Amino acid sequence: MRVLGIETSCDETAASVVENGTKVLSNVIASQIDLHKKTGGVVPEVAAREHILKIIPVIKETLEQGGCEWKDIDGIAAVPGPGLISALLTGTLTASTLALVKEKPLIPVHHILGHIYGNWCGREKEKFEFPILILTVSGGHNDLILMKNHGEFELIGQSRDDAAGEAFDKVAKLLGLGYPGGPAIQKAALEGNKNAFDFPKAKLGSNSNGNSEIFDYSFSGLKTAVLYAVQEKYGKDYLPEKLNRKFVCDTAASFQKTVVDTLIDRLENAADKYNPKEIHIAGGVSANLALREEAKTRLVKFNVPIKYPVDISYCTDNAAMIASCGYFLFNKDPNKYKNWQNIQPSADFTF
Ligand code: KG4
Ligand code: ZN
């Protein structure tokens, strides 16, 4: 079965064709990074306008690259949310229209569940064993999920304020490192001393479900601690571009270490409790090399496969992960996806 995936939840206009949930035939991403660099972050109205311009050419290109005509496509998967409403509208309306006109099933895919399937993309020869413990970590979300089977997800922890990727982006901005912040911090951290600053890790007590084990996250305090460290040295009205390079690299390295340690602490707690058969890390921040290295070192004791997306393009927003998730959802209950109107853009997180 070949599924056309469509993703427009934030600042990437993406379309992809994936066969049987794992074999990626094409994965086209029109990134808006250069556009949003000017403002140091995504302006929703600007993103929405760009999606409208790009969506049809991107779909056309992905069909061509995948060697597909419409008759080869067995279903369309698109994202109703969460994301920027005006951006989601383009993807959902396009998917609905194509489903009606081309008479294809329409499969709504929750963006975060889509990220989970970034780990299925390109892994056509590998086996997966449930339950799988998954950290999804991006700019807009930061969740610990126990996946019991396809379509069976239990949210066991999440960020109470900012996601880790959001913290990477904000800290990069206040250090004058530009947008997007994750790759810029990772690069600067390579030149820095990760023990230069002892930034605080949030202590949260019981989690939002009332459990005493702590699986939730919080990164807003860390962001403020970095700001205070910069202001203490350079004053409240400092100019980011005037910061000393060594100071910036040391701060980036210490900040990255604190985020990575916090993310892995929670994964370790959860793996202890749930005894998963696999541990996965997905989402934009799963591209981070320090995170991958720390996971390898500290989670090896669980003696289970630790997986990250096989290609960086499956970490950050893309449509291959949406097509893959769409395939597995469709196969659980094909009758559910006959209605071309069955997709409403929504900022809602629940799945
Ligand atoms: O999954 P994604 O593309 O979008 C959301 O769903 O939010 O994730 C984007 C986030 C950004 O915050 C970006 O700074 C972060 O992923 N990111 C990274 C790296 N590459 C991207 N964070 C840390 N290290 C990286 N190498
Ligand atoms: Zn995302």
Short mmCIF file of all heavy atoms in Angstrom, two decimals, residues 230-264:
data_model
loop_
_atom_site.label_atom_id
_atom_site.label_comp_id
_atom_site.label_asym_id
_atom_site.label_seq_id
_atom_site.Cartn_x
_atom_site.Cartn_y
_atom_site.Cartn_z
N VAL A 230 24.02 35.28 31.52
CA VAL A 230 24.52 36.22 30.51
C VAL A 230 24.43 37.65 31.05
O VAL A 230 25.39 38.44 30.95
CB VAL A 230 23.72 36.11 29.18
CG1 VAL A 230 24.23 37.10 28.14
CG2 VAL A 230 23.81 34.69 28.62
N GLN A 231 23.30 37.97 31.68
CA GLN A 231 23.11 39.33 32.19
C GLN A 231 24.06 39.65 33.34
O GLN A 231 24.50 40.80 33.50
CB GLN A 231 21.66 39.52 32.64
CG GLN A 231 20.69 39.58 31.46
CD GLN A 231 19.25 39.79 31.88
OE1 GLN A 231 18.88 39.52 33.02
NE2 GLN A 231 18.41 40.25 30.96
N GLU A 232 24.39 38.63 34.13
CA GLU A 232 25.31 38.86 35.25
C GLU A 232 26.67 39.30 34.72
O GLU A 232 27.32 40.18 35.27
CB GLU A 232 25.45 37.56 36.04
CG GLU A 232 26.12 37.76 37.41
CD GLU A 232 26.26 36.44 38.13
OE1 GLU A 232 25.29 35.67 38.20
OE2 GLU A 232 27.39 36.17 38.60
N LYS A 233 27.09 38.73 33.60
CA LYS A 233 28.41 39.08 33.05
C LYS A 233 28.36 40.33 32.16
O LYS A 233 29.28 41.14 32.19
CB LYS A 233 28.94 37.88 32.24
CG LYS A 233 30.41 37.99 31.88
CD LYS A 233 30.94 36.64 31.44
CE LYS A 233 32.24 36.73 30.70
NZ LYS A 233 33.37 37.15 31.51
N TYR A 234 27.29 40.48 31.39
CA TYR A 234 27.27 41.54 30.36
C TYR A 234 26.24 42.65 30.61
O TYR A 234 26.15 43.58 29.81
CB TYR A 234 27.03 40.93 28.98
CG TYR A 234 28.22 40.12 28.49
CD1 TYR A 234 28.26 38.75 28.70
CD2 TYR A 234 29.29 40.72 27.84
CE1 TYR A 234 29.34 38.00 28.26
CE2 TYR A 234 30.37 39.98 27.40
CZ TYR A 234 30.39 38.62 27.61
OH TYR A 234 31.47 37.89 27.19
N GLY A 235 25.47 42.54 31.71
CA GLY A 235 24.46 43.56 32.01
C GLY A 235 23.14 43.29 31.32
O GLY A 235 23.07 42.53 30.35
N LYS A 236 22.09 43.96 31.84
CA LYS A 236 20.72 43.69 31.35
C LYS A 236 20.52 44.10 29.89
O LYS A 236 19.71 43.53 29.18
CB LYS A 236 19.72 44.45 32.23
CG LYS A 236 19.38 43.75 33.52
CD LYS A 236 18.02 44.21 34.02
CE LYS A 236 17.33 43.26 34.96
NZ LYS A 236 17.97 42.81 36.11
N ASP A 237 21.24 45.13 29.44
CA ASP A 237 21.02 45.62 28.07
C ASP A 237 22.09 45.11 27.10
O ASP A 237 22.45 45.79 26.14
CB ASP A 237 21.03 47.16 28.07
CG ASP A 237 19.93 47.70 28.95
OD1 ASP A 237 18.84 47.09 28.95
OD2 ASP A 237 20.16 48.71 29.66
N TYR A 238 22.60 43.91 27.36
CA TYR A 238 23.70 43.39 26.54
C TYR A 238 23.26 43.19 25.08
O TYR A 238 22.08 43.01 24.79
CB TYR A 238 24.20 42.07 27.13
CG TYR A 238 23.33 40.88 26.81
CD1 TYR A 238 23.59 40.09 25.70
CD2 TYR A 238 22.22 40.55 27.59
CE1 TYR A 238 22.78 39.01 25.37
CE2 TYR A 238 21.40 39.48 27.29
CZ TYR A 238 21.69 38.71 26.16
OH TYR A 238 20.87 37.66 25.83
N LEU A 239 24.25 43.22 24.19
CA LEU A 239 23.96 42.93 22.78
C LEU A 239 24.48 41.53 22.45
O LEU A 239 25.68 41.26 22.60
CB LEU A 239 24.68 43.95 21.88
CG LEU A 239 24.19 45.40 22.03
CD1 LEU A 239 25.14 46.35 21.30
CD2 LEU A 239 22.77 45.53 21.48
N PRO A 240 23.59 40.61 22.02
CA PRO A 240 24.01 39.21 21.79
C PRO A 240 25.23 39.10 20.87
O PRO A 240 26.11 38.26 21.09
CB PRO A 240 22.77 38.57 21.16
CG PRO A 240 21.63 39.39 21.63
CD PRO A 240 22.15 40.79 21.79
N GLU A 241 25.31 39.98 19.85
CA GLU A 241 26.42 39.85 18.89
C GLU A 241 27.76 40.30 19.49
O GLU A 241 28.82 40.05 18.92
CB GLU A 241 26.10 40.60 17.59
CG GLU A 241 25.84 42.08 17.70
CD GLU A 241 24.39 42.43 18.10
OE1 GLU A 241 23.68 41.55 18.59
OE2 GLU A 241 24.01 43.61 17.95
N LYS A 242 27.72 40.92 20.68
CA LYS A 242 28.98 41.38 21.30
C LYS A 242 29.52 40.38 22.34
O LYS A 242 30.55 40.64 22.96
CB LYS A 242 28.73 42.73 22.01
CG LYS A 242 28.40 43.88 21.07
CD LYS A 242 29.70 44.56 20.62
CE LYS A 242 29.53 45.42 19.38
NZ LYS A 242 28.70 46.59 19.53
N LEU A 243 28.83 39.25 22.54
CA LEU A 243 29.29 38.31 23.56
C LEU A 243 30.60 37.65 23.12
O LEU A 243 30.80 37.38 21.95
CB LEU A 243 28.23 37.21 23.80
CG LEU A 243 26.85 37.66 24.29
CD1 LEU A 243 25.92 36.45 24.45
CD2 LEU A 243 26.94 38.44 25.59
N ASN A 244 31.44 37.36 24.12
CA ASN A 244 32.71 36.70 23.87
C ASN A 244 32.46 35.26 23.39
O ASN A 244 31.63 34.56 23.95
CB ASN A 244 33.50 36.74 25.18
CG ASN A 244 34.69 35.82 25.17
OD1 ASN A 244 34.54 34.62 25.40
ND2 ASN A 244 35.85 36.39 24.90
N ARG A 245 33.19 34.83 22.35
CA ARG A 245 32.94 33.51 21.74
C ARG A 245 33.10 32.35 22.75
O ARG A 245 32.30 31.42 22.78
CB ARG A 245 33.88 33.33 20.54
CG ARG A 245 33.79 31.99 19.83
CD ARG A 245 32.56 31.86 18.96
NE ARG A 245 32.40 30.49 18.46
CZ ARG A 245 31.30 30.02 17.91
NH1 ARG A 245 30.23 30.77 17.77
NH2 ARG A 245 31.23 28.78 17.48
N LYS A 246 34.15 32.44 23.58
CA LYS A 246 34.37 31.35 24.54
C LYS A 246 33.20 31.28 25.53
O LYS A 246 32.71 30.20 25.87
CB LYS A 246 35.71 31.55 25.27
CG LYS A 246 35.95 30.46 26.29
CD LYS A 246 37.36 30.44 26.81
CE LYS A 246 37.59 29.53 28.01
NZ LYS A 246 36.61 28.52 28.29
N PHE A 247 32.74 32.46 25.98
CA PHE A 247 31.61 32.50 26.90
C PHE A 247 30.37 31.86 26.24
O PHE A 247 29.67 31.05 26.86
CB PHE A 247 31.31 33.96 27.30
CG PHE A 247 30.08 34.11 28.14
CD1 PHE A 247 30.12 33.90 29.51
CD2 PHE A 247 28.86 34.46 27.55
CE1 PHE A 247 28.97 34.02 30.29
CE2 PHE A 247 27.71 34.58 28.32
CZ PHE A 247 27.76 34.36 29.70
N VAL A 248 30.13 32.21 24.99
CA VAL A 248 28.96 31.67 24.28
C VAL A 248 29.07 30.15 24.16
O VAL A 248 28.10 29.42 24.45
CB VAL A 248 28.84 32.31 22.87
CG1 VAL A 248 27.86 31.56 21.99
CG2 VAL A 248 28.44 33.78 22.99
N CYS A 249 30.24 29.65 23.79
CA CYS A 249 30.40 28.20 23.59
C CYS A 249 30.28 27.45 24.92
O CYS A 249 29.66 26.38 24.98
CB CYS A 249 31.72 27.89 22.91
SG CYS A 249 31.78 28.54 21.22
N ASP A 250 30.88 28.01 25.98
CA ASP A 250 30.77 27.36 27.30
C ASP A 250 29.31 27.33 27.76
O ASP A 250 28.84 26.33 28.31
CB ASP A 250 31.60 28.12 28.35
CG ASP A 250 33.09 27.85 28.20
OD1 ASP A 250 33.45 26.97 27.40
OD2 ASP A 250 33.90 28.53 28.88
N THR A 251 28.60 28.45 27.54
CA THR A 251 27.20 28.51 27.95
C THR A 251 26.37 27.51 27.15
O THR A 251 25.54 26.77 27.70
CB THR A 251 26.62 29.94 27.74
OG1 THR A 251 27.52 30.87 28.35
CG2 THR A 251 25.25 30.10 28.37
N ALA A 252 26.61 27.47 25.84
CA ALA A 252 25.87 26.53 24.97
C ALA A 252 26.13 25.09 25.41
O ALA A 252 25.18 24.28 25.52
CB ALA A 252 26.29 26.72 23.51
N ALA A 253 27.39 24.77 25.69
CA ALA A 253 27.73 23.38 26.08
C ALA A 253 27.10 23.02 27.43
O ALA A 253 26.57 21.91 27.60
CB ALA A 253 29.25 23.23 26.14
N SER A 254 27.12 23.95 28.38
CA SER A 254 26.55 23.66 29.71
C SER A 254 25.04 23.54 29.62
O SER A 254 24.42 22.68 30.27
CB SER A 254 26.92 24.77 30.70
OG SER A 254 28.31 24.97 30.73
N PHE A 255 24.42 24.41 28.83
CA PHE A 255 22.96 24.35 28.64
C PHE A 255 22.58 23.02 27.98
O PHE A 255 21.68 22.31 28.45
CB PHE A 255 22.52 25.53 27.76
CG PHE A 255 21.17 25.33 27.12
CD1 PHE A 255 20.00 25.52 27.85
CD2 PHE A 255 21.07 24.93 25.79
CE1 PHE A 255 18.76 25.31 27.26
CE2 PHE A 255 19.83 24.72 25.21
CZ PHE A 255 18.68 24.91 25.95
N GLN A 256 23.28 22.66 26.92
CA GLN A 256 22.97 21.42 26.20
C GLN A 256 23.09 20.21 27.12
O GLN A 256 22.25 19.31 27.12
CB GLN A 256 23.90 21.26 24.99
CG GLN A 256 23.66 19.98 24.20
CD GLN A 256 24.51 19.90 22.95
OE1 GLN A 256 24.08 20.29 21.87
NE2 GLN A 256 25.72 19.40 23.08
N LYS A 257 24.16 20.21 27.94
CA LYS A 257 24.37 19.10 28.88
C LYS A 257 23.19 18.98 29.84
O LYS A 257 22.69 17.88 30.12
CB LYS A 257 25.67 19.32 29.66
CG LYS A 257 25.92 18.29 30.74
CD LYS A 257 27.12 18.69 31.61
CE LYS A 257 27.49 17.62 32.63
NZ LYS A 257 26.43 17.22 33.51
N THR A 258 22.71 20.13 30.35
CA THR A 258 21.60 20.10 31.31
C THR A 258 20.33 19.55 30.65
O THR A 258 19.61 18.74 31.24
CB THR A 258 21.33 21.53 31.86
OG1 THR A 258 22.59 22.08 32.26
CG2 THR A 258 20.40 21.51 33.05
N VAL A 259 20.05 19.99 29.43
CA VAL A 259 18.85 19.49 28.72
C VAL A 259 18.97 17.99 28.49
O VAL A 259 18.04 17.22 28.77
CB VAL A 259 18.66 20.22 27.37
CG1 VAL A 259 17.51 19.61 26.59
CG2 VAL A 259 18.40 21.70 27.59
N VAL A 260 20.12 17.58 27.96
CA VAL A 260 20.32 16.16 27.62
C VAL A 260 20.20 15.29 28.88
O VAL A 260 19.49 14.28 28.89
CB VAL A 260 21.70 15.98 26.94
CG1 VAL A 260 22.12 14.52 26.91
CG2 VAL A 260 21.66 16.55 25.53
N ASP A 261 20.86 15.73 29.97
CA ASP A 261 20.77 14.95 31.22
C ASP A 261 19.33 14.81 31.69
O ASP A 261 18.90 13.74 32.09
CB ASP A 261 21.57 15.64 32.34
CG ASP A 261 23.07 15.41 32.17
OD1 ASP A 261 23.44 14.64 31.27
OD2 ASP A 261 23.85 16.00 32.93
N THR A 262 18.57 15.92 31.62
CA THR A 262 17.17 15.90 32.07
C THR A 262 16.35 14.94 31.20
O THR A 262 15.56 14.15 31.72
CB THR A 262 16.56 17.32 31.98
OG1 THR A 262 17.44 18.21 32.65
CG2 THR A 262 15.19 17.38 32.60
N LEU A 263 16.52 15.02 29.89
CA LEU A 263 15.75 14.15 28.99
C LEU A 263 16.05 12.68 29.28
O LEU A 263 15.15 11.84 29.34
CB LEU A 263 16.08 14.48 27.52
CG LEU A 263 15.59 15.84 27.01
CD1 LEU A 263 16.13 16.12 25.61
CD2 LEU A 263 14.06 15.91 27.00
N ILE A 264 17.33 12.37 29.49
CA ILE A 264 17.69 10.96 29.70
C ILE A 264 17.31 10.50 31.11
O ILE A 264 16.92 9.34 31.31
CB ILE A 264 19.20 10.73 29.41
CG1 ILE A 264 19.53 11.14 27.97
CG2 ILE A 264 19.59 9.27 29.64
CD1 ILE A 264 18.81 10.39 26.88
#
